[in-house]
Amino acid sequence: MAFNSSLSGMKAANADLNVTSHNIANVGTTGFKESRAEFAEVFSTTGYGLLRNGIGAGVRLTNVAQQFSQGDINQTGRYLDLAVDREGFFTVSNNGTNVYTRAGNFQRDSNGFVTTPDGFRLQVFPPRADGSGFDTGRLVDLQLLTSDSPPAPTTLVNLAVTLPGNAQQPTIAPFNPNDGNSYNETTSVTVYDSLGVAHQQSVYYVKTATPNEWQAHVYVDGTSMGAATTVRFDNNGALTLPTNGRITLAPFTPTTGAGVLNMTLDISGTNQYGEAFAKKDQRQDGYASGKLNEFTVSPEGVVYARYSNGVDRAIGQVALTNFTNPQGLVSQGNNTWTHSFASGEPRTGAPGTSDFGQVASGALEASTVDLTEQLVNMIVAQRNFQANSQMLSTQDQITQTVINIR
């Protein structure tokens, strides 16, 4: 019995050393979670469990438990380096089978898919076709392509100005866009057709003989966009006409072969104050084609493709997965785990929702191994091994003494 107890103690100490050695070997491994050897005594009992003066029979290894604590998040500046801040695991696909990892040192393969160093593809929620968010009911491989952003024609132009309250009616009539004396003020904005070709939209403001009243003439590339629109203010300078502040322009057919431009001019922010003309707001919703500049990832895990035309296109949202009992996960090596009955079923959701953490872009989660603590554990395990081996040697001497009795 004593021999077995000492031998089990040596085995336990050796297992503790092996676990400590594994931890120390992975002190620099991204997303690594340290392990802890857990033991229980071995105690022999009678069939009824009534042995009051029984002596234990040693020790056994019951579990090697991984400790899923938060590791330090270190900035790297590389956009495909991702870290989970707080709870959750990245979801990656190994030939169609989902596995889970805390190591976010991703890279892009020859087909543009974002993968782990072992080729497992990062899973994301795809964007909905109507642009209303992401389809959290299914997962797809994240693929980063370097295609251009297509153009979009202008449909709405927001143009807000301050017209001078002391303006006088022009001396030249009728209005002529080529004669600066036939209008008071003008401003221009660039608009785009369906091929992404730029056009110049100009608005000319002409003061009428009626107090607080103006005429707005809109031209695109020198072509009139319909009859002049009456713009009227109250005696406090607030816009009263057009009633909703919007002017529907006549259709414009570009000479580039693009589709007809149907635009609305919103001047609801325009007023009549003071003595000087000022431009307050100038926006339009069209854009030319754009070249890809970069990819970025938000704390909510949304992956954006940023283009030279100012367009940010969401191409997916990183899917995080959590478990009721992460310690029940089964390690597959290569910084990945699979779920088991003990871990509970995987729950996949968007970063920043429920109990899911956020995603830190341009950063990696460091190993949770405390090297100083592991070195102390090594010394303790070594002493335990020596003590058990000494106990074995002592038992051998006692046995030899008994054998030598005559």
Side-chain angles (χ1 to χ4, degrees):
M1 176 85 62
F3 282 103
N4 289 335
S5 295
S6 298
L7 184 60
S8 69
M10 293 174 65
K11 289 181 178 179
N14 186 62
D16 199 5
L17 280 170
N18 288 338
V19 172
T20 302
S21 175
H22 180 67
N23 287 338
I24 292 175
N26 285 279
V27 70
T29 301
T30 299
F32 178 78
K33 302 301 177 183
E34 72 167 293
S35 299
R36 181 179 67 194
E38 297 177 348
F39 305 96
E41 66 172 332
V42 177
F43 197 90
S44 299
T45 63
T46 66
Y48 299 99
L50 300 177
L51 188 61
R52 300 180 62 183
N53 58 347
I55 299 174
V59 65
R60 65 184 180 89
L61 178 68
T62 60
N63 189 28
V64 178
Q66 295 185 85
Q67 308 302 301
F68 287 95
S69 58
Q70 176 70 54
D72 293 337
I73 295 179
N74 301 321
Q75 298 298 318
T76 65
R78 180 176 174 271
Y79 77 95
L80 279 181
D81 284 343
L82 306 177
V84 178
D85 187 2
R86 299 188 299 277
E87 300 295 321
F89 296 78
F90 294 113
T91 309
V92 295
S93 175
N94 179 14
N95 294 321
T97 300
N98 286 342
V99 294
Y100 311 98
T101 183
R102 292 281 295 195
N105 50 328
F106 297 109
Q107 58 193 28
R108 191 162 53 168
D109 67 13
S110 59
N111 294 315
F113 291 103
V114 176
T115 70
T116 67
D118 299 290
F120 302 164
R121 293 180 177 179
L122 179 63
Q123 299 297 288
V124 297
F125 300 120
R128 292 195 179 100
D130 59 4
S132 61
F134 299 91
D135 183 358
T136 57
R138 63 191 183 97
L139 296 174
V140 298
D141 300 334
L142 177 60
Q143 188 176 25
L144 305 181
L145 299 178
T146 56
S147 57
D148 292 347
S149 170
T154 299
T155 59
L156 178 64
V157 178
N158 294 84
L159 192 60
V161 299
T162 296
L163 295 171
N166 63 346
Q168 301 296 317
Q169 188 176 9
T171 56
I172 302 297
F175 164 74
N176 181 354
N178 298 315
D179 188 345
N181 292 318
S182 66
Y183 56 86
N184 298 79
E185 309 292 347
T186 184
T187 184
S188 297
V189 60
T190 300
V191 297
Y192 297 91
D193 63 25
S194 60
L195 296 179
V197 178
H199 303 272
Q200 199 73 12
Q201 182 190 97
S202 301
V203 183
Y204 300 87
Y205 303 93
V206 180
K207 184 69 177 69
T208 70
T210 303
N212 300 324
E213 184 179 272
W214 298 70
Q215 292 289 314
H217 301 261
V218 184
Y219 282 71
V220 175
D221 291 349
T223 300
S224 175
M225 301 300 290
T229 300
T230 299
V231 180
R232 190 172 295 137
F233 304 90
D234 63 19
N235 56 10
N236 292 316
L239 184 70
T240 60
L241 193 70
T243 53
N244 62 355
R246 292 197 169 194
I247 303 170
T248 300
L249 305 179
F252 173 72
T253 303
T255 60
T256 60
V260 175
L261 269 176
N262 294 293
M263 296 183 290
T264 298
L265 178 63
D266 187 340
I267 63 168
S268 57
T270 296
N271 51 40
Q272 180 186 251
Y273 296 140
E275 300 178 354
F277 174 80
K279 186 186 297 183
K280 299 189 299 181
D281 185 24
Q282 178 178 301
R283 291 174 289 125
Q284 57 85 39
D285 60 356
Y287 45 84
S289 61
K291 298 293 184 182
L292 179 67
N293 283 340
E294 61 178 349
F295 294 101
T296 62
V297 183
S298 74
E300 294 73 32
V302 180
V303 183
Y304 291 99
R306 299 188 183 276
Y307 295 90
S308 59
N309 56 5
V311 173
D312 290 348
R313 185 164 64 91
I315 58 179
Q317 185 176 31
V318 174
L320 294 185
T321 300
N322 207 357
F323 303 87
T324 304
N325 174 31
Q327 283 196 340
L329 293 172
V330 179
S331 177
Q332 300 296 300
N334 299 320
N335 297 328
T336 62
W337 293 270
T338 58
H339 75 280
S340 68
F341 179 80
S343 69
E345 290 298 312
R347 293 179 292 107
T348 302
T353 64
S354 185
D355 59 344
F356 298 106
Q358 293 187 315
V359 174
S361 178
L364 290 175
E365 182 183 9
S367 169
T368 59
V369 174
D370 183 331
L371 188 56
T372 301
E373 179 184 2
Q374 296 302 314
L375 291 175
V376 172
N377 288 345
M378 179 184 68
I379 294 172
V380 172
Q382 180 186 16
R383 294 298 186 191
N384 290 341
F385 188 93
Q386 290 174 338
N388 279 282
S389 63
Q390 185 62 43
M391 192 68 234
L392 190 66
S393 177
T394 300
Q395 292 294 331
D396 178 60
Q397 292 176 11
I398 293 174
T399 303
Q400 188 63 42
T401 300
V402 172
I403 291 173
N404 292 335
I405 294 177
R406 289 182 174 84

